[in-house]
């Protein structure tokens, strides 16, 4: 099911156009290197600063200055409770590129996107966050962060992964291992938005030999589909508290 979401969004009609003068920008090169089709057009002397135009199904849905979005080339990595280290431009880029299938992403780039989703869950402070770490041992390096999420919010947190390591008990965190091999190729997060689905967001990426291919989303309906995939046949969990 997660594969079908990636395939479906590959067929979505996106058009990205960079208006610039001079040499190729870093973000233009990054998008081209990650399999995103992009056009470039020249700006006349004395024209506006370089900008980025996004069309979906033939309709312009966004225009943003290039300077505001260069941050994805070196994405910020920080804890959800350390919000001062992330630029507003990166947050804007998260919205601009949502539902765009991107290829060849590395773990640092995916971790940055994951932090944006975890940060939103932390700021809202309630609801359900589901995360596929591929294997439970991968979760080891994230334990302190998820202790913070669980302790400082009322989030229900569900962790999915192959049972290759025994994680510690954390109140508010449940571990799911049965049928986790279905998710082993995937890095996935789904946050339901808590009291309002307007805060819902998620990420789906499949690992390949040359990195990860996937997309992130702000669409509540897409987030529900990711949740449905993660919870299909859900059983075999180690739950910290009854009811999670």
């Amino acid at each position: 099911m997660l594969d079908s979401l990636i395939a479906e969004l590959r067929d979505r009609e996106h058009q990205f156009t960079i208006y610039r003068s001079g040499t190729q920008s870093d973000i233009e090169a990054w998008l081209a290197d990650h399999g995103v089709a992009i056009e470039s057009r020249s700006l006349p002397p004395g024209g506006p600063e370089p900008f980025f135009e996004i069309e979906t199904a033939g309709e312009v849905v966004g225009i943003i200055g290039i300077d505001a979005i260069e941050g994805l080339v070196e994405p910020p990595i920080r804890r959800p409770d350390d919000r001062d280290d992330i630029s507003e431009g990166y947050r804007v880029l998260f919205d601009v590129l949502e539902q765009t299938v991107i290829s060849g992403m590395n773990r640092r780039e995916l971790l940055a996107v994951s932090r944006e989703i975890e940060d939103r869950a932390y700021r809202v402070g309630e609801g359900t966050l589901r995360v596929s770490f591929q294997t439970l041992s991968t979760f080891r390096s994230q334990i302190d962060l998820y202790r913070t999420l669980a302790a400082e919010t009322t989030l229900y947190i569900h962790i999915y992964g192959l049972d290759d390591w025994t994680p510690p008990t954390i109140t508010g965190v449940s571990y799911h291992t049965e049928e986790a091999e279905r998710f082993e190729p995937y890095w996935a997060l789904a946050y339901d938005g808590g009291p309002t689905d307007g805060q819902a967001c998620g990420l789906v990426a499949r690992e390949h030999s040359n990195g990860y291919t996937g997309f992130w989303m702000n669409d509540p309906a897409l987030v529900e589909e990711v949740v449905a995939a993660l919870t299909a046949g859900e059983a075999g969990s180690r739950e910290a508290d009854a009811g999670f």
Side-chain angles (χ1 to χ4, degrees), residues 20-89:
R20 60 172 169 80
S21 56
T23 59
Q24 185 182 60
S25 67
D26 289 343
I27 189 63
E28 186 179 353
W30 187 91
L31 289 168
D33 287 346
H34 286 72
V36 178
I38 186 165
E39 292 185 3
S40 63
R41 296 181 183 174
S42 297
L43 289 171
E49 293 296 315
F51 63 92
F52 186 67
E53 180 185 82
I54 307 99
E55 291 184 20
T56 299
E59 180 181 351
V60 176
V61 296
I63 294 175
I64 184 172
I66 289 178
D67 288 346
I69 59 174
E70 292 278 28
L72 188 58
V73 179
E74 288 295 334
I77 305 295
R78 84 285 176 265
R79 294 167 58 91
D81 56 344
D82 186 12
R83 298 180 59 213
D84 293 337
D85 288 345
I86 185 167
S87 70
E88 188 61 31

